[in-house]
Amino acid sequence: MVALAGDLNQDFDITWGDGRAKILNNGELLTLSLDKASGSGFQSKKEYFFGKIDMQIKLVAGNSAGTVTAYYLSSKGLYWDEIDFEFLGNLSGDPYILHTNVFTQGKGKREQQFYLWFDPTADFHTYSILWNPQIIVFSVDDTPIREFKNLESIGVPFPKYQPMRIYSTLWNADDWATRGGLVKTDWTQAPFTASYRNFNASACTDASGTSSCASNTTSSSTNASWLSQELDSTSEDKLKWVQSNYMIYNYCTDAKRFPEGFPLECNSA
């Protein structure tokens, strides 16, 4: 079990961008930038096998239309698992769209989208993923916005067999990101910059396919509580509040997309 915080140099590697990604202030701040030539990205040094992972992010301000800031967990290979936050930019004054998705064994198409109840460009906010054998929970400032339960019992694959690494990228997606691609990136506003700080992971790390959770002797039960955590009634109420007031798309209600019937997990909600 590990709890990581502090120097981002210890936790992440910048993977692309030719100098557009930077770790600053003695490891306290990481920034990604996008211009017409290239975006940028980073990934975690470690792989994780279940965890409670937090990152504070301040998104691209102003006219961010056409840009996407992605922050996600992913494994590798043809049958990969993935847990996605994607922030779809918009024209100045129009709200960001928070796009979420869950891939299991290489199959996604489980999109839910939300508006946020604050301006995510004005300050840092905490975006969290809880991933344990029972449930995946997406949260914003400790408010759950989405849950994906383990429903293997009814034939729905659940990501619990592959370790995942953290990735984040800032890139141009003006062919689809804003109003279905109708609004293009205004390159006169470049460079576009997203900022990251206060990373924290209470998680099982994976080394050579063996999870550290299997031989945990150092963490207290309090520190490991996330491993069996599910949503309590207060959290369920918060989730319902967000989904009633801020959800703008749910694949489980898109009948046109699934004329032969909704995915199995939709029928168990």
Side-chain angles (χ1 to χ4, degrees):
M1 238 34 105
V2 292
L4 304 172
D7 187 352
L8 295 170
N9 284 296
Q10 296 180 9
D11 301 313
F12 297 102
D13 290 319
I14 291 170
T15 48
W16 63 285
D18 194 25
R20 291 172 180 82
K22 296 181 173 68
I23 298 178
L24 307 167
N25 301 349
N26 296 315
E28 292 183 359
L29 182 70
L30 191 156
T31 60
L32 295 182
S33 291
L34 163 70
D35 58 33
K36 198 166 186 177
S38 178
S40 52
F42 66 87
Q43 69 180 42
S44 61
K45 293 179 184 290
K46 295 181 180 179
E47 292 183 311
Y48 301 95
F49 215 141
F50 305 128
K52 169 75 164 58
I53 294 168
D54 308 317
M55 179 73 88
Q56 290 190 342
I57 306 174
K58 183 164 69 171
L59 297 175
V60 174
N63 181 2
S64 58
T67 72
V68 172
T69 306
Y71 177 72
Y72 59 101
L73 285 165
S74 183
S75 62
K76 294 181 179 180
L78 186 60
Y79 300 101
W80 79 99
D81 298 328
E82 187 170 321
I83 305 169
D84 283 345
F85 278 113
E86 289 187 295
F87 304 91
L88 312 185
N90 216 329
L91 295 168
S92 298
D94 289 343
Y96 260 83
I97 292 174
L98 172 49
H99 175 102
T100 65
N101 205 349
V102 177
F103 287 75
T104 57
Q105 298 178 13
K107 295 181 180 179
K109 298 184 179 180
R110 299 185 177 98
E111 299 91 347
Q112 291 182 357
Q113 294 183 337
F114 306 84
Y115 288 142
L116 294 165
W117 50 97
F118 53 84
D119 178 359
T121 73
D123 204 349
F124 287 88
H125 292 269
T126 303
Y127 301 91
S128 305
I129 294 169
L130 169 66
W131 169 40
N132 66 32
Q134 298 81 37
I135 198 169
I136 295 166
V137 179
F138 298 75
S139 296
V140 179
D141 291 338
D142 293 324
T143 297
I145 63 168
R146 176 178 185 174
E147 64 178 347
F148 184 81
K149 295 179 179 178
N150 184 336
L151 296 172
E152 289 177 305
S153 60
I154 62 169
V156 180
F158 188 83
K160 69 175 193 181
Y161 301 103
Q162 303 181 72
M164 293 196 265
R165 204 177 293 274
I166 300 167
Y167 298 88
S168 190
T169 57
L170 174 56
W171 52 292
N172 177 45
D174 66 3
D175 56 334
W176 65 270
T178 306
R179 295 183 60 197
L182 293 176
V183 182
K184 300 300 183 182
T185 304
D186 180 0
W187 294 111
T188 67
Q189 304 297 310
F192 305 97
T193 301
S195 302
Y196 303 74
R197 71 180 188 191
N198 290 347
F199 168 71
N200 191 78
S202 298
C204 309
T205 56
D206 183 77
S208 303
T210 304
S211 171
S212 64
C213 291
S215 58
N216 172 43
T217 57
T218 58
S219 292
S220 69
S221 58
T222 301
N223 290 339
S225 62
W226 59 266
L227 193 54
S228 59
Q229 183 179 340
E230 298 188 52
L231 294 183
D232 59 20
S233 58
T234 301
S235 296
E236 289 280 6
D237 288 344
K238 290 181 179 179
L239 177 71
K240 290 175 184 176
W241 173 78
V242 172
Q243 296 194 344
S244 296
N245 292 283
Y246 295 98
M247 180 183 281
I248 59 172
Y249 177 80
N250 182 4
Y251 75 108
C252 281
T253 60
D254 191 346
K256 290 182 179 179
R257 188 176 174 190
F258 301 104
E260 298 180 1
F262 290 110
L264 288 173
E265 66 268 20
C266 297
N267 301 320
S268 67

